[in-house]
Amino acid sequence: MSGTRDRGKEPITDIDRLIHEPARFLIMAHLYVVEAADFLFLQRQTNLTWGNLSSHISKLEDAGYVHVEKSFKGKKPHTMVRLTEGGRAAFERYRESMQAALDNIPG
Amino acid sequence: MAEHVNLKEIERSVRARYHNDGITLIVAGLSLIFLAVFFYDHRQAWATTFAVGVWAWLAESLRRRLIYPRLGYAKLPTKQNPLTIVLAIGAVISVFVGAMFLERLNISFAGPIYWGAVLAVAALVIAVASRSKIACALAPVFLLSGGGGAMLARLGVCCAESYQLAALGAILITIGSGQLVLLRRRYPEPASEALNERD
């Protein structure tokens, strides 16, 4: 996003569409307030199905926003997800952009 | 899908989910019963109070076995304010110095009232800090228990504080168990097929 533009005049097209999708936004918001969380926790908090959650996490992982760590607890697979530094920065940028865009709407 | 977009609200709901799992109340109740049993042996009472690590370990072990397989696990950021830690340690030491001072005065009914008041204040602090309705409801119960214990002491019952703390411990364990049962019914353990599906 351009730093030379006035904050309030940034075009809405600058908003990160990857985070803008509601399910991914919820996932990012939850990961933003915790250090790390497992798949089950995210599923309980967001009410997404396993498949849906898995697909959104994969998209976020491909973008480098989250780091996925797979392991086994006994015989059960255990997947921990955490925001990367880039993901945290992208979420903060997204918040600022949205705030600026919404503040600009005459009410 | 939940419509929460307020990050503070999300953080509060994440913390509340773990704090309202019943484990905290069960462990607090067990520690009160332990304190009640050894009430008149100061060394044991001090050891019980300062063995916070043991209670924390017990709570974490119970959560790992009973809660995380159903609710999932999230590593919460630790906010350790040094001033808060110093204040908490100072408060615990003051409580025990006060208890020893009261014992020297040798007034039988003062002990139960003192412990009731101390626990009520602790419950109020927790209620304000975590916005816990249960802690808020427990504060007057703790305060009233002081009156009950004082009545027992006036009637000549020996170790009134022990009965008072044991009763309060039993109340906490009962409420905590209720919370735990409700939570386990609400969140059944996911089937192993689902666990494998995500990978």
Side-chain angles (χ1 to χ4, degrees), chain A residues 2-61:
Chain A
S2 169
T4 55
R5 290 183 193 135
D6 291 346
R7 247 187 74 183
K9 291 180 181 171
E10 284 169 348
I12 203 150
T13 47
D14 275 2
I15 283 169
D16 191 334
R17 283 162 191 251
L18 193 74
I19 303 177
H20 197 60
E21 202 283 325
R24 284 195 289 273
F25 171 77
L26 260 187
I27 295 168
M28 291 287 283
H30 278 91
L31 289 174
Y32 187 78
V33 297
V34 300
E35 276 182 32
D38 67 11
F39 239 78
L40 179 60
F41 174 84
L42 289 172
Q43 200 261 333
R44 295 285 193 218
Q45 288 290 122
T46 59
N47 286 336
L48 294 168
T49 62
W50 289 115
N52 218 344
L53 181 62
S54 187
S55 119
H56 286 304
I57 293 281
S58 295
K59 282 178 187 163
L60 291 171
E61 191 183 15

Side-chain angles (χ1 to χ4, degrees), chain B residues 31-55:
Chain B
S31 67
L32 277 188
I33 288 176
F34 201 74
L35 192 63
V37 170
F38 297 108
F39 194 75
Y40 283 108
D41 187 334
H42 287 305
R43 278 172 308 174
Q44 298 276 18
W46 277 87
T48 306
T49 307
F50 285 103
V52 176
V54 174
W55 300 115

Side-chain angles (χ1 to χ4, degrees), chain A residues 25-26 29-30 32-41 44-46 48 50-51 54 70 76-80 95, chain B residues 1-2 5 7 10 14 17-18 68-75 77 187-190 194-199:
Chain A
F25 171 77
L26 260 187
H30 278 91
Y32 187 78
V33 297
V34 300
E35 276 182 32
D38 67 11
F39 239 78
L40 179 60
F41 174 84
R44 295 285 193 218
Q45 288 290 122
T46 59
L48 294 168
W50 289 115
S54 187
K70 290 180 180 181
K76 288 181 183 174
H78 187 245
T79 310
M80 286 295 285
R95 282 177 71 194
Chain B
M1 193 186 298
V5 287
L7 288 177
I10 289 176
V14 168
R17 185 165 272 200
Y18 286 127
Y68 297 154
R70 290 160 189 271
L71 277 186
Y73 170 73
K75 192 177 176 195
Y187 298 103
E189 228 173 304
L195 285 166
N196 291 321
E197 184 192 328
R198 71 193 185 215
D199 297 299

